[in-house]
């Protein structure tokens, strides 16, 4: 599917971008693979690792529609990964988060339609489901923009879908590197927000594979959600800081005890497939006859029961401490 195609990834120098490029170059021969992001140093460092002839490094901001429109010329597929994603930073600098995550999404959509890009997948997060912090709220707004964008394409071919998943093991600024840093520094205790806290847990390769797979599955308008395991915060501490006592510090503003991926209120248009869920658009769609219970590869899903919620605390699949340690190997 990606052989001889031109692909652009916004935020391509991030954690997801690195794994995505690694996977794509190992499996396919793209015509051009464009990294679109702001910081020249991150791009320079990435170029030292990924210098295949198809690689292109474009400096640009998703807040800049003209630059995005220029960058997407003759592009077939876009992955929108650029985001501001630190919850406290978003609370403190709300308009900056809104400009990147919401206006940026709007610009990606406009640039993709202007260039008749074939397919766009935008990355979302469990924090966008029934959000309680600004980061999640901006990602929910972004999700809504991408779903509704399918109604803006007119005769064009562009289709937009969203992939939503949970915490990525070891990504920049996340809990595992934080615990590891504390252990290395000889901290006397590991801060635990709440002993019953749970999170969805996914590795970067799993996230990348899921995104790549959904390019073949998508009609346009779906929110794709993988079935992934959950972890208990106490088991994470036992896995990564086994000899350091824990200290309860209380839930931080904007944090939930459990994360949600499929909210109960969306259950009336959520379909369960073998290894994932699909939230179908709740708005009337450009083509009335799309069957979101059946994807483009022919996989068949079934409507979930009314009130069903896919949530990290009620997930039937929890990792044990040993499984947590083996999970990222
Ligand atoms: N990591 C997780 O646990 C997780 C979980 C669920 C969903 N997600 C979603 O997955 C996506 C990728 O996450 P990640 O972990 O790869 O993030 P990351 O490592 O922080 O990378 C973010 C990327 O976005 C770029 N960026 C930020 N602002 C930009 C702007 N205004 N214009 C252009 N590029 C910009 C950054 O580069 P520059 O700073 O150089 O511009 C960087 O390349 C995000 O949409 C995030 O919401 C992540």
């Amino acid at each position: 599917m990606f052989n001889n195609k031109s692909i652009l990834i916004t935020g391509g120098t991030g954690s997801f971008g690195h794994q995505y490029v690694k996977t794509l170059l190992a499996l396919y021969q793209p015509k051009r693979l464009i990294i679109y992001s702001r910081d020249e140093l991150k791009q320079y460092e990435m170029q030292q690792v990924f210098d295949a002839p198809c690689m292109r490094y474009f400096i640009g901001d998703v807040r800049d529609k003209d630059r995005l429109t220029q960058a997407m010329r003759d592009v077939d597929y876009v992955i929108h990964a650029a985001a501001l994603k630190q919850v406290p930073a978003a609370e403190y600098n709300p308009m900056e988060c809104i400009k990147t995550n919401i206006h940026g999404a709007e610009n990606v959509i406009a640039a993709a339609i202007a260039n008749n890009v074939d397919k766009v997948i935008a990355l979302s997060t469990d924090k966008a489901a029934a959000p309680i912090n600004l980061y999640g709220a901006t990602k929910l707004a972004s999700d809504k923009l991408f779903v509704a964008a399918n109604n803006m394409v007119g005769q064009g071919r562009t289709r937009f879908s969203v992939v939503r998943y949970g915490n990525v093991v070891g990504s920049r600024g996340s809990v595992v590197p934080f615990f590891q840093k504390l252990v290395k520094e000889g901290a006397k205790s590991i801060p635990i927000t709440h002993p019953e806290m749970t999170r969805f847990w996914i590795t970067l390769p799993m996230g990348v594979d899921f995104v790549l797979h959904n390019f073949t599955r998508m009609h346009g308008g779906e929110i794709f959600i993988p079935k992934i395991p959950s972890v208990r915060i106490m088991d994470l501490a036992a896995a990564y800081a086994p000899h350091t006592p824990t200290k309860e510090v209380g839930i931080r503003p904007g944090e939930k005890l459990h994360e949600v991926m499929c909210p109960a209120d969306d259950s009336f248009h959520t379909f369960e497939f073998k290894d994932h869920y699909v939230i179908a658009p709740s708005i009337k769609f450009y083509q009335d006859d799309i069957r979101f219970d059946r994807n483009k590869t022919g996989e068949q899903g079934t409507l979930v029961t009314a009130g069903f919620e896919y949530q990290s605390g009620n997930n039937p699949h929890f990792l044990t401490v040993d499984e947590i340690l083996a999970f990222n190997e």
Side-chain angles (χ1 to χ4, degrees):
M1 163 152 204
F2 300 101
N3 286 334
N4 207 28
K5 299 287 185 189
S6 292
I7 304 146
L8 180 143
I9 172 163
T10 69
T13 54
S15 308
F16 178 91
H18 273 82
Q19 182 63 38
Y20 170 79
V21 169
K22 187 175 163 192
T23 306
L24 208 79
L25 292 179
L27 298 178
Y28 302 96
Q29 282 92 42
K31 191 199 285 177
R32 286 184 307 149
L33 187 43
I34 303 163
I35 304 298
Y36 184 96
S37 63
R38 298 165 306 170
D39 174 30
E40 58 184 356
L41 178 62
K42 283 206 265 317
Q43 291 203 357
Y44 171 78
E45 287 168 352
M46 194 168 179
Q47 273 178 57
Q48 309 307 305
V49 184
F50 300 107
D51 64 349
C54 65
M55 296 299 300
R56 302 282 187 280
Y57 290 88
F58 286 13
I59 300 283
D61 195 316
V62 293
R63 300 181 189 184
D64 182 347
K65 187 164 76 178
D66 291 344
R67 177 64 174 145
L68 270 174
T69 306
Q70 187 189 43
M72 281 191 209
R73 197 170 294 153
D74 297 325
V75 161
D76 299 290
Y77 303 125
V78 170
I79 296 177
H80 178 44
L84 291 182
K85 63 176 187 112
Q86 296 297 330
V87 171
E91 299 297 316
Y92 192 72
N93 309 279
M95 275 316 297
E96 297 308 307
C97 189
I98 288 167
K99 283 182 200 163
T100 295
N101 294 359
I102 302 181
H103 297 174
E106 189 189 12
N107 292 335
V108 168
I109 290 163
I113 293 176
N115 282 289
N116 208 22
V117 166
D118 189 1
K119 292 179 182 178
V120 179
I121 287 189
L123 299 189
S124 182
T125 160
D126 48 11
K127 295 184 175 58
I132 60 161
N133 55 54
L134 186 80
Y135 166 56
T138 61
K139 294 296 275 190
L140 178 62
S142 168
D143 294 357
K144 300 269 182 203
L145 286 169
F146 279 102
V147 170
N150 292 282
N151 275 336
M152 292 165 51
V153 291
Q155 297 304 309
R157 65 172 179 162
T158 314
R159 295 292 177 263
F160 301 88
S161 292
V162 172
V163 163
R164 176 184 288 174
Y165 54 67
N167 284 43
V168 175
V169 187
S171 65
R172 295 191 310 157
S174 66
V175 62
V176 171
F178 176 58
F179 282 1
Q180 286 170 328
K181 178 171 163 282
L182 289 177
V183 170
K184 203 171 157 202
E185 290 169 355
K188 291 205 166 32
S189 62
I190 295 291
I192 295 290
T193 48
H194 192 289
E196 280 164 36
M197 184 173 275
T198 64
R199 287 293 178 262
F200 285 111
W201 213 232
I202 187 170
T203 65
L204 268 177
M206 286 164 72
V208 167
D209 288 349
F210 188 63
V211 169
L212 291 179
H213 212 135
N214 289 326
F215 272 100
T216 58
R217 286 174 168 147
M218 62 184 271
H219 296 282
E222 305 94 331
I223 299 176
F224 290 99
I225 292 151
K227 289 185 183 174
I228 52 177
S230 288
V231 291
R232 295 179 182 86
I233 189 77
M234 294 305 282
D235 289 341
L236 280 183
Y240 289 104
H243 307 299
T244 312
T246 56
K247 183 178 170 203
E248 198 174 327
V249 293
I251 287 199
R252 292 174 302 185
E255 259 188 351
K256 291 181 184 173
L257 195 53
H258 308 292
E259 293 287 3
V260 175
M261 289 232 260
C262 303
D265 290 328
D266 285 334
S267 60
F268 304 98
H269 49 106
T270 298
F271 297 97
E272 179 171 11
F273 290 75
K274 188 161 168 273
D275 64 356
H276 67 283
Y277 296 96
V278 164
I279 302 179
S282 56
I283 52 172
K284 191 163 162 47
F285 228 47
Y286 65 103
Q287 261 175 287
D288 273 346
D289 57 348
I290 298 177
R291 298 237 345 239
F292 288 101
D293 64 338
R294 194 178 178 82
N295 66 32
K296 284 264 193 186
T297 65
E299 292 169 321
Q300 183 68 47
T302 48
L303 190 65
V304 300
T305 50
F308 168 82
E309 184 175 71
Y310 184 42
Q311 187 238 78
S312 62
N314 70 10
N315 190 350
H317 184 189
F318 269 88
L319 296 179
T320 64
V321 174
D322 287 344
E323 286 169 338
I324 288 171
L325 285 169
F327 198 60
N328 203 22
E329 285 167 1

